Amino acid sequence: RQMCIRDSINSSVDLTNNTFNIYDNLGRKTSIESIKIKNNLIDISSLNKGIYILNITGEINKSLTFIKN
């Protein structure tokens, strides 16, 4: 399942006890230093348009494919 997202991802997972990585459609890890998290909202406005995979690991292991518009 893919989601189309413009600027942020609202996570139902508490990200304070988990780590996350974002990969582009070629499998390259994006620079997460430019990604900001506030109140479980992941700001992806700095990413270029394209297809990405969000991997969350820690207390929960989950992957999400999304399209950045």
Side-chain angles (χ1 to χ4, degrees), residues 11-19 39-40 56-57 59-60:
S11 174
S12 60
V13 175
D14 182 5
L15 297 172
T16 57
N17 296 323
N18 294 282
T19 58
N39 299 328
N40 286 340
I56 301 172
T57 56
E59 291 181 354
I60 189 168

Side-chain angles (χ1 to χ4, degrees), residues 3-10 41-45 68:
M3 299 174 22
C4 292
I5 300 172
R6 179 168 286 191
D7 292 320
S8 62
I9 299 171
N10 189 359
L41 202 65
I42 303 171
D43 180 356
I44 58 163
S45 60
K68 167 66 165 74

Side-chain angles (χ1 to χ4, degrees), residues 6-60:
R6 179 168 286 191
D7 292 320
S8 62
I9 299 171
N10 189 359
S11 174
S12 60
V13 175
D14 182 5
L15 297 172
T16 57
N17 296 323
N18 294 282
T19 58
F20 73 95
N21 291 300
I22 297 177
Y23 299 89
D24 66 15
N25 63 336
L26 298 176
R28 296 177 296 203
K29 188 175 177 180
T30 63
S31 172
I32 60 171
E33 290 80 26
S34 62
I35 310 276
K36 295 180 177 59
I37 301 174
K38 185 176 181 180
N39 299 328
N40 286 340
L41 202 65
I42 303 171
D43 180 356
I44 58 163
S45 60
S46 64
L47 294 178
N48 293 323
K49 292 181 180 183
I51 299 171
Y52 293 90
I53 298 170
L54 169 66
N55 285 334
I56 301 172
T57 56
E59 291 181 354
I60 189 168

